[in-house]
Amino acid sequence: MSVGTDPGTDAELARRCEAALVAYLDRQRPHWPDGTPAGVLDAVRRFVLSGGKRLRPMFCYWGWRGAGQPDTPQIVIAAAALELFHAFALIHDDIMDGSTLRRGQPTVHRHFAEVHTRHSWRGEATRYGHSAALLCGDLCAAWADHMLHESGLPIDWIHRGYRLFTVMRTEVIAGQYLDLVSGVGDGSVAGALTVIRMKAARYTVTRPLQIGAALAGGDPALQDALQAFGDPLGDAFQLRDDVLGVFGDPAVTGKPVIDDLREGKPTVMVAMARDRADRAQAARIRRLFGDPELDEAGATELRSIITATGARERTEDLIAQRAGQATAALADAPLTGEAREALAGLAASAVVRRH
């Protein structure tokens, strides 16, 4: 394999991942079956390239570098494949949550519903939107697999990472189902922590790191160390996401901050609020949380209750605790110095952020 240029900053690595995604997506258009509308292709391309932090490819890349492998174009392509898997998860999650915005743009299912309405087609626009978006998500999942295998890495190296890639896919779907089950009950703090570990933390940090290390031939000790670092960091990342989902700035997050409250998203923070609420506060949470007609006044009241119960402060404490665990694990991990420094920077940006 030829050695490429040093990635330099996180922004440069993200740009290289973006370029790999553009090149891959552009190669797929000639293979789209003749006579099939290209709307799905266009929607997928627009969604994948519309933004995102590219954290998963970055963690994968530094798992590879941490195992002692050099920078190559092939690992950038393999790492970028994780962004297609991320797109699959987001598209399906938005359907299940009934979200209207993602990255400041209409969600994929809403986009297709608007296309249906604009053309005055027969049937229900919402159902059409959901069905088309499901296909987009499925296509992203299939392409993630294909992009990894077409990365140019030796096939036996790919097989080393593919076992963990499969584990990651299973965990995300299992976590999504746990989230669905939690949403029909009140949910506990312990249950919500399990959901974020399975649904988000592992596939955001731990598995990308381990996939990169496995592609590089990293030994079991390195894999264990990466999990000790990745699991608490992934928890902190998702806990921050949940705080931003209620208290963030929509102009920065790209999502309405009322959606999680309308949906009744069973987060750790809300579970803490329930545990700490007095009788009157608990009654208001039952009345307002998960109400699809929740207005801004109701959302403001819920935010006040979450703050008054100490749930927001306790969640911030938990974020700091998990981040501290990750930092301690990183210090002891058998990584190259360059990878340790890069991962410390990524860890900080994942936890201290506004979007």
Side-chain angles (χ1 to χ4, degrees):
M1 295 180 296
S2 61
V3 177
T5 58
D6 188 85
T9 64
D10 288 346
E12 174 62 14
L13 180 54
R15 185 199 64 76
R16 293 173 69 198
C17 290
E18 190 90 359
L21 287 165
V22 169
Y24 177 82
L25 292 169
D26 286 349
R27 286 198 303 272
Q28 306 319 304
R29 188 171 294 274
H31 303 300
W32 194 244
D34 290 341
T36 307
V40 167
L41 289 177
D42 295 335
V44 166
R45 192 181 193 282
R46 182 169 55 249
F47 183 79
V48 171
L49 301 179
S50 66
K53 294 172 280 294
R54 310 307 185 210
L55 278 178
R56 291 154 191 85
M58 289 184 185
F59 281 120
C60 181
Y61 174 88
W62 286 111
W64 163 277
R65 294 295 300 274
Q69 291 286 356
D71 173 63
T72 71
Q74 291 85 355
I75 186 54
V76 173
I77 295 169
L82 293 175
E83 199 68 16
L84 287 172
F85 179 78
H86 181 43
F88 144 76
L90 291 181
I91 292 169
H92 282 209
D93 193 51
D94 284 342
I95 296 169
M96 295 176 71
D97 292 348
S99 300
T100 58
L101 289 177
R102 170 72 68 176
R103 298 169 178 169
Q105 300 294 325
T107 50
V108 175
H109 66 273
R110 182 182 168 197
H111 161 73
F112 278 107
E114 291 173 352
V115 169
H116 184 285
T117 299
R118 190 161 59 246
H119 288 86
S120 300
W121 288 337
R122 292 191 303 273
E124 299 176 10
T126 299
R127 183 175 180 181
Y128 177 86
H130 287 178
S131 298
L134 281 171
L135 293 174
C136 289
D138 292 345
L139 189 59
C140 286
W143 278 352
D145 192 292
H146 183 243
M147 188 174 183
L148 174 62
H149 281 84
E150 294 291 309
S151 63
L153 291 172
I155 192 63
D156 55 328
W157 294 26
I158 291 172
H159 287 166
R160 293 190 306 223
Y162 194 65
R163 181 186 67 82
L164 283 163
F165 188 86
T166 301
V167 169
M168 178 186 67
R169 291 187 301 192
T170 302
E171 285 174 340
V172 169
I173 293 170
Q176 186 72 59
Y177 181 70
L178 283 175
D179 192 32
L180 185 65
V181 172
S182 298
V184 298
D186 285 344
S188 65
V189 173
L193 283 169
T194 300
V195 168
I196 67 170
R197 175 65 60 85
M198 295 287 289
K199 179 185 172 184
R202 283 270 168 90
Y203 108 92
T204 299
V205 183
T206 307
R207 297 312 183 203
L209 277 168
Q210 290 183 314
I211 289 168
L215 292 169
D219 62 22
L222 176 57
Q223 293 288 2
D224 290 345
L226 291 174
Q227 183 158 333
F229 165 70
D231 278 359
L233 179 60
D235 288 349
F237 174 87
Q238 186 56 45
L239 288 166
R240 171 62 63 213
D241 207 53
D242 291 342
V243 172
L244 291 173
V246 175
F247 293 98
D249 180 354
V252 178
T253 64
K255 290 185 65 176
V257 291
I258 203 170
D259 277 6
D260 286 359
L261 299 174
R262 278 180 179 159
E263 174 202 336
K265 186 177 180 182
T267 65
V268 171
M269 186 169 64
V270 171
M272 286 179 175
R274 281 201 184 96
D275 284 353
R276 294 160 173 258
D278 60 29
R279 182 172 297 179
Q281 289 169 330
R284 294 305 290 164
I285 291 173
R286 285 194 298 272
R287 166 65 184 84
L288 297 171
F289 187 65
D291 177 5
E293 303 301 322
L294 182 72
D295 58 15
E296 188 51 49
T300 298
E301 184 178 352
L302 278 173
R303 292 187 195 105
S304 297
I305 292 171
I306 290 169
T307 301
T309 58
R312 182 179 182 181
E313 182 180 5
R314 178 69 187 102
T315 302
E316 292 289 349
D317 291 343
L318 195 55
I319 291 171
Q321 179 190 47
R322 292 291 202 269
Q325 291 171 355
T327 299
L330 182 61
D332 295 333
L335 294 162
T336 63
E338 185 182 17
R340 194 188 320 278
E341 182 179 352
L343 289 173
L346 281 175
S349 65
V351 174
V352 183
R353 59 192 173 92
R354 297 175 60 224
H355 63 93

